[in-house]
Amino acid sequence: MRSTKAHIIYCILLSCQYALCTLSPNTKTKNKHRESKFLRGPQDNDVFELDLVSAEPLAKDILIHHEAYYKDTGKRRFNGTILGYVTPWNSHGYDVAKMFAKKFDIISPVWLQIVKQGDDYAVAGTHDIDAGWLNDVRRKGKVQQQHQLRTVKVFPRIIFDHFTDRDIKLLLSDAKERTNLNEMLIQTCKQHGFDGLILEVWSQLAGRIDDKILFTLVLQMAKELQKQQIRLILVIPPKRKDMPNLFGEKHMDKLYKHIYAFSLMTYDYSSVQRPGANAPLYWVRNAVENIAPVGCHDMEAKRAKILMGLNMYGNDYTPDGGGPITYGQYLELVRHVKKQLTHDERDVENFFEIKTETGRHIVFYPTLYSINERIQLAQQLGVGISIWELGQGLDYFYDLF
């Protein structure tokens, strides 16, 4: 167990003998008479003016205000880069990207996969591309800045899918293979008007192959895309206790001048096997400082390219394990909380423990307070933010950005 707290949580859950079932995010509330109190849509006051950003928020305030947001959706509080991921399996994320488009610098739809078709490379997932939605996001994201018109950029995430060891070995060992792959990616970006790509490969291959070979793959891709004014963002894993450091200062030194940005996955710190906070604040700080320590060469330039991960989902720990939850399941659970949520001072997150007809639950999920503390940390460290993922959280969270 990670800590005494985690051990206590684990013991509480194991001791419970209640049968459980999964709560659907679309389940209708039984308290229909309370719906009249709920606020929805644009409001005259933001969450700060309403004094909702509290270390111990009231459950009733969450239920009343979560669907409301400040009417000026173009107002930004955070001055670093903000990236928001959107997935096809979470339709509300598409709405959030349009509603708050001016708050984002980059939107990353999780649409694409690199696949092999015989000896050739191809891009799968293009059936998910929604050109109309992309046009709406770009139109709504236009902002006048210093006599220039800026709009949100689109960087779809792309992964290697169903690659065999032989496929990987061939790609890594043959420069011509990599050139063929990059030409195919460039063609896809130009065809659909993408500004860049977000590559998720480091976590899959780091530790399995020599760093030099991985550098070669990523740098060649970045440089060949750059020649066509297409940018590359690299997804990178955070440093974890008792695990190899897959991406550290030496990797940043080698890559930062050629990579547009780094999407740092600072979430999923805890798990069913080790219940607790989703992303302890001290751990998030350490993850950034592991890559670009205080006083390192070109620190400000490096940190400006780090997009510190913020999770918009939470975890519901139950006697049989539990798992991740998004806003619908969270709202069903938080209805059972009578007063305030508990403030975890060490990890700077909120959680609550309840017992319902389905059994016992210990729930960690973002709050206005926990997100705001992480935004302030990003500001302090001089890094940007990447949100996984739009549509998983509550609408009033975006007042914070």
Side-chain angles (χ1 to χ4, degrees), residues 383-394:
V383 301
I385 288 170
S386 55
I387 300 171
W388 185 275
E389 61 174 283
L390 305 185
Q392 290 183 336
L394 308 177

Side-chain angles (χ1 to χ4, degrees), residues 49 74 80 158 215 231 250 283 313 321 354 368 388:
E49 293 166 327
I158 194 160
F215 283 139
R231 309 291 194 267
K250 67 176 183 178
W283 173 70
Y313 60 90
I354 57 169
L368 290 169
W388 185 275

Side-chain angles (χ1 to χ4, degrees), residues 263-267 279 284 307-311 384-388:
S263 182
L264 178 61
M265 299 188 294
T266 37
Y267 28 73
V284 175
L307 307 179
M308 186 184 87
L310 277 182
N311 58 287
I385 288 170
S386 55
I387 300 171
W388 185 275

Side-chain angles (χ1 to χ4, degrees), residues 48 138 207 219 278:
F48 293 98
R138 286 190 169 111
L219 286 172
N278 295 312

Side-chain angles (χ1 to χ4, degrees), residues 54 74 90 136 186 313 357 374:
S54 167
N90 188 339
D136 286 344
I186 289 166
Y313 60 90
E357 65 276 7
R374 282 148 184 79

Side-chain angles (χ1 to χ4, degrees), residues 138-139 141-153:
R138 286 190 169 111
R139 178 174 53 84
K142 289 180 179 178
V143 179
Q144 193 73 33
Q145 283 186 337
Q146 298 176 347
H147 311 294
Q148 287 187 330
L149 189 64
R150 179 196 71 83
T151 192
V152 64
K153 294 179 172 61

Side-chain angles (χ1 to χ4, degrees), residues 124-330:
T126 53
H127 64 277
D128 282 321
I129 296 174
D130 186 337
W133 172 76
L134 287 176
N135 289 334
D136 286 344
V137 171
R138 286 190 169 111
R139 178 174 53 84
K140 292 176 179 292
K142 289 180 179 178
V143 179
Q144 193 73 33
Q145 283 186 337
Q146 298 176 347
H147 311 294
Q148 287 187 330
L149 189 64
R150 179 196 71 83
T151 192
V152 64
K153 294 179 172 61
V154 178
F155 284 56
R157 191 201 69 170
I158 194 160
I159 60 172
F160 290 92
D161 193 32
H162 292 99
F163 266 58
T164 65
D165 287 346
R166 179 184 175 278
D167 294 333
I168 291 291
K169 185 177 180 181
L170 183 63
L171 179 65
L172 296 175
S173 62
D174 191 331
K176 186 177 179 181
E177 287 285 320
R178 295 193 295 274
T179 297
N180 292 340
L181 168 63
N182 295 334
E183 287 176 352
M184 184 267 301
L185 293 176
I186 289 166
Q187 181 183 355
T188 300
C189 289
K190 288 187 172 182
Q191 179 183 350
H192 297 285
F194 299 145
D195 302 287
L197 292 170
I198 297 184
L199 177 66
E200 186 165 347
V201 70
W202 202 274
S203 296
Q204 287 74 31
L205 296 182
R208 291 174 54 194
I209 63 172
D210 189 277
D211 281 352
K212 291 179 181 179
I213 301 175
L214 200 46
F215 283 139
T216 300
L217 172 68
V218 172
L219 286 172
Q220 184 177 341
M221 186 181 292
K223 290 174 181 178
E224 291 185 8
L225 267 63
Q226 174 65 34
K227 289 175 185 176
Q228 303 296 324
Q229 285 74 53
I230 300 168
R231 309 291 194 267
L232 185 69
I233 294 176
L234 184 64
V235 178
I236 57 173
K239 183 180 180 181
R240 294 181 181 276
K241 187 178 180 182
D242 302 327
M243 291 182 66
N245 186 13
L246 299 179
F247 195 98
E249 186 179 2
K250 67 176 183 178
H251 301 99
M252 183 60 121
D253 286 342
K254 185 82 172 177
L255 294 173
Y256 81 98
K257 289 184 179 178
H258 306 283
I259 301 295
Y260 187 70
F262 299 85
S263 182
L264 178 61
M265 299 188 294
T266 37
Y267 28 73
D268 290 341
Y269 177 82
S270 300
S271 65
V272 170
Q273 293 76 30
R274 189 178 64 178
N278 295 312
L281 193 68
Y282 69 87
W283 173 70
V284 175
R285 174 190 287 276
N286 290 343
V288 171
E289 293 178 343
N290 169 63
I291 300 167
V294 175
C296 70
H297 171 69
D298 224 0
M299 183 190 80
E300 289 185 6
K302 290 174 181 174
R303 288 194 176 183
K305 291 191 172 191
I306 297 172
L307 307 179
M308 186 184 87
L310 277 182
N311 58 287
M312 287 289 178
Y313 60 90
N315 276 291
D316 172 22
Y317 298 110
T318 61
D320 64 350
I325 56 170
T326 58
Y327 71 95
Q329 295 138 309
Y330 172 71

